Amino acid sequence: MALAASAGPMDLTTRWEGILALVLFVVAYVLVATEEFTDLSKSKPIVFTAGIIWALVALTYTLHGGDQEAVEGALVDGLAEFTELFLFLLVAMTYVNTMTDRHVFQALRNWLTSREYSYRKLFWITGGLAFFLSPFLDNLTTALVLSAVVLAVGRDSPRFVAISCVNIVVAANAGGAFSPFGDITTLMVWQAGQLGFARFFELFPAALVDVIVPALCMHFFLPHGKPEATGDSMAMRRGALGVIALFVATVVTAVVIHQVLHLPPFLGMMLGLGYLKFYMYYLMKTNERWESQVEEWQQKDETTPVKIEERAGRIEDRERFNIFGHIADAEWDTLLFFYGVILCVSGLGFIGYLSVTSNFLYGMLGPTIANGLIGALSAIVDNIPIMAAVLHMDPDMDKAQWLLITLTAGVGGSLLSVGSAAGVALMGQAKGKYTFVSHLKWTPAIALGYVLSILTHLLITGELGTLFGGG
């Protein structure tokens, strides 16, 4: 088949190169889904496929005189999208690793177990926190922090960890959907001027339904009993409170930089990494003075080494303040997976598949059905490029329908563990305990909540008739 040269992107959806790219992407996702059976880390097939897809695109444009600058520009745009997410996620992971090293989550675990909360009560506490924190912290950061709490509290109950992680992903994604800065897609809709700041909060009832329905289903399958108290104090290490304070300051900085200065949130997160690096420097430099204080305590009260240890912290606590070690401990398989999936989807979008899909949905099915299906599609294809395609098309929709696509793109990714940044990050954080299959078991319950949340929104906005072809 001849392919005419073009000054812009070519339609490769019916050519062998485009079809091969789509098939490779599907195969890569199958390998990602079967990671726990094949022991093939999820980043390997997706990173490989990303390179092949763009190589196929570039080869086609080279052989047929296409616009090479258009190819390079699209690739750079995809890379820029990944870079923003990468830097944001790297800082969040570094803070989580640092708080873990400082025994923040272990101390929280001991506090929760001392309260004698049951597994079921802890399930609702962590899920509720995820739902109400994600509109302010963003869904990704919220999921990372609360998964660390669940891992610490439920270390003796893998079933509790697996189900709670599913609940956290659903709750964090739903909470992020009713806030302008709770999710990247809501930011995109807000920045595009399709919805005003206050309009997003109208999605709260629908988002709450999306969380409550699957949580009620999962509740009855949680283990009975409560976590066993460890019996030790597990005090937080030196510097723990400072790290917590700096993490809060980092999130506030990211929000302010985006809301006030209109710069990408990752810049605020990287500035927050600077806070942490200087704080680690301070801890390192004051280490000698700390050791001198311990020696003085030992000379005054040699008979109570336990008391000295409680006041000074364990010996190993004072030996490691290496920020680069915490950065190195980030879940790099997850970070590389994000690179692969964003580059794959941007490549498929450049080939033309996203536009074809969006045009078909809105042109043939109408906005209500289209927005519902696009949300479900975001469980397979990253919701960021999907929302970008919808915004680029700018379909003729009223504000209620723009709210609907914001809702579905935000919560639809919860249908699969790989459908959202929160889910992918938790697969790395809780490796082996929260997996694609453990999440898939609850997809029917999550799908029920998804459908009911859409119906709730349509009922509140008076557009339920559009579902059945009404005006």
Side-chain angles (χ1 to χ4, degrees):
M1 180 190 300
L3 187 63
S6 172
M10 301 175 180
D11 183 4
L12 306 181
T13 55
T14 58
R15 287 185 56 83
W16 70 267
E17 298 96 329
I19 295 172
L20 177 59
L22 183 60
V23 170
L24 288 174
F25 180 70
V26 172
V27 171
Y29 248 85
V30 170
L31 291 175
V32 169
T34 58
E35 176 188 11
E36 61 184 293
F37 304 110
T38 62
D39 290 327
L40 182 69
S41 61
K42 57 184 174 290
S43 66
K44 288 184 173 67
I46 212 75
V47 167
F48 174 81
T49 302
I52 296 297
I53 288 176
W54 279 103
L56 287 170
V57 171
L59 176 64
T60 305
Y61 274 63
T62 300
L63 295 177
H64 297 280
D67 186 356
Q68 294 290 342
E69 291 186 0
V71 176
E72 183 179 357
L75 179 59
V76 170
D77 288 344
L79 185 61
E81 181 184 330
F82 162 72
T83 301
E84 290 190 20
L85 181 61
F86 168 80
L87 294 176
F88 189 102
L89 185 55
L90 183 64
V91 176
M93 286 182 169
T94 300
Y95 264 103
V96 170
N97 290 337
T98 305
M99 286 188 283
T100 300
D101 179 69
R102 296 294 94 191
H103 286 174
V104 171
F105 301 116
Q106 293 91 326
L108 179 59
R109 175 191 187 277
N110 289 341
W111 182 82
L112 287 172
T113 55
S114 69
R115 307 287 291 184
E116 298 188 346
Y117 292 142
S118 67
Y119 281 119
R120 293 186 172 185
K121 192 167 186 178
L122 290 168
F123 169 84
W124 287 100
I125 289 174
T126 53
L129 286 173
F131 182 72
F132 287 105
L133 286 178
S134 59
F136 308 99
L137 297 184
D138 84 73
N139 54 356
L140 180 59
T141 306
T142 299
L144 281 171
V145 171
L146 288 173
S147 68
V149 174
V150 164
L151 285 167
V153 174
R155 64 186 183 187
D156 299 322
S157 178
R159 182 155 60 113
F160 167 78
V161 171
I163 298 177
S164 293
C165 281
V166 175
N167 189 44
I168 287 172
V169 170
V170 174
N173 287 337
F178 70 86
S179 167
F181 41 84
D183 185 79
I184 296 175
T185 54
T186 59
L187 281 172
M188 294 167 68
V189 174
W190 182 37
Q191 288 179 330
Q194 296 293 350
L195 294 172
F197 184 89
R199 293 299 300 267
F200 289 90
F201 297 99
E202 296 176 20
L203 291 172
F204 176 83
L208 186 61
V209 170
D210 183 77
V211 173
I212 293 295
V213 172
L216 286 173
C217 296
M218 289 184 278
H219 171 86
F220 299 101
F221 292 86
L222 287 163
H224 292 282
K226 55 190 177 183
E228 183 179 350
T230 59
D232 55 41
S233 59
M234 188 61 77
M236 291 188 292
R237 291 179 171 182
R238 181 186 176 216
L241 293 177
V243 173
I244 295 172
L246 290 179
F247 178 64
V248 174
T250 296
V251 173
V252 172
T253 301
V255 172
V256 170
I257 278 186
H258 180 71
Q259 300 299 319
V260 179
L261 302 181
H262 308 292
L263 293 172
F266 82 87
L267 185 63
M269 295 297 287
M270 289 301 293
L271 180 56
L273 182 62
Y275 302 160
L276 185 61
K277 288 168 69 68
F278 273 111
Y279 186 60
M280 290 290 108
Y281 175 79
Y282 162 78
L283 291 177
M284 181 183 67
K285 284 299 183 181
T286 55
N287 193 49
E288 291 183 3
R289 186 173 61 186
W290 186 256
E291 292 286 356
S292 299
Q293 183 67 63
V294 173
E295 291 177 3
E296 181 180 340
W297 285 335
Q298 289 174 335
Q299 291 173 357
K300 290 181 178 179
D301 195 353
E302 296 180 354
T303 60
T304 56
V306 174
K307 182 178 179 181
I308 293 171
E309 187 175 87
E310 289 177 352
R311 296 172 65 187
R314 301 180 189 278
I315 297 300
E316 65 267 22
D317 297 353
R318 307 190 298 276
E319 293 177 350
R320 184 181 179 225
F321 298 113
N322 180 12
I323 183 63
F324 293 105
H326 299 313
I327 294 174
D329 290 338
E331 180 52 48
W332 288 96
D333 184 53
T334 298
L335 295 172
L336 289 174
F337 174 83
F338 278 125
Y339 160 83
V341 75
I342 290 176
L343 266 292
C344 280
V345 172
S346 63
L348 294 175
F350 189 73
I351 288 171
Y353 284 116
L354 292 183
S355 295
V356 168
T357 303
S358 297
N359 282 322
F360 167 76
L361 290 173
Y362 285 103
M364 299 293 293
L365 303 177
T368 300
I369 300 296
N371 289 335
L373 291 177
I374 285 175
L377 183 62
S378 70
I380 302 173
V381 181
D382 187 72
N383 61 356
I384 296 172
I386 284 181
M387 182 59 79
V390 172
L391 290 170
H392 180 73
M393 283 183 59
D394 194 18
D396 185 16
M397 300 191 299
D398 58 23
K399 297 303 181 184
Q401 289 294 339
W402 277 108
L403 281 170
L404 179 59
I405 185 60
T406 302
L407 172 71
T408 58
V411 304
S414 300
L415 293 168
L416 297 175
S417 63
V418 294
S420 66
V424 174
L426 259 64
M427 283 198 297
Q429 185 93 340
K431 197 174 184 66
K433 295 181 179 179
Y434 169 69
T435 64
F436 181 90
V437 173
S438 67
H439 189 108
L440 188 64
K441 293 176 182 177
W442 296 104
T443 294
I446 298 169
L448 177 61
Y450 177 71
V451 172
L452 291 178
S453 69
I454 293 175
L455 294 176
T456 300
H457 173 72
L458 294 176
L459 182 63
I460 291 174
T461 57
E463 296 213 352
L464 192 59
T466 62
L467 187 63
F468 308 102

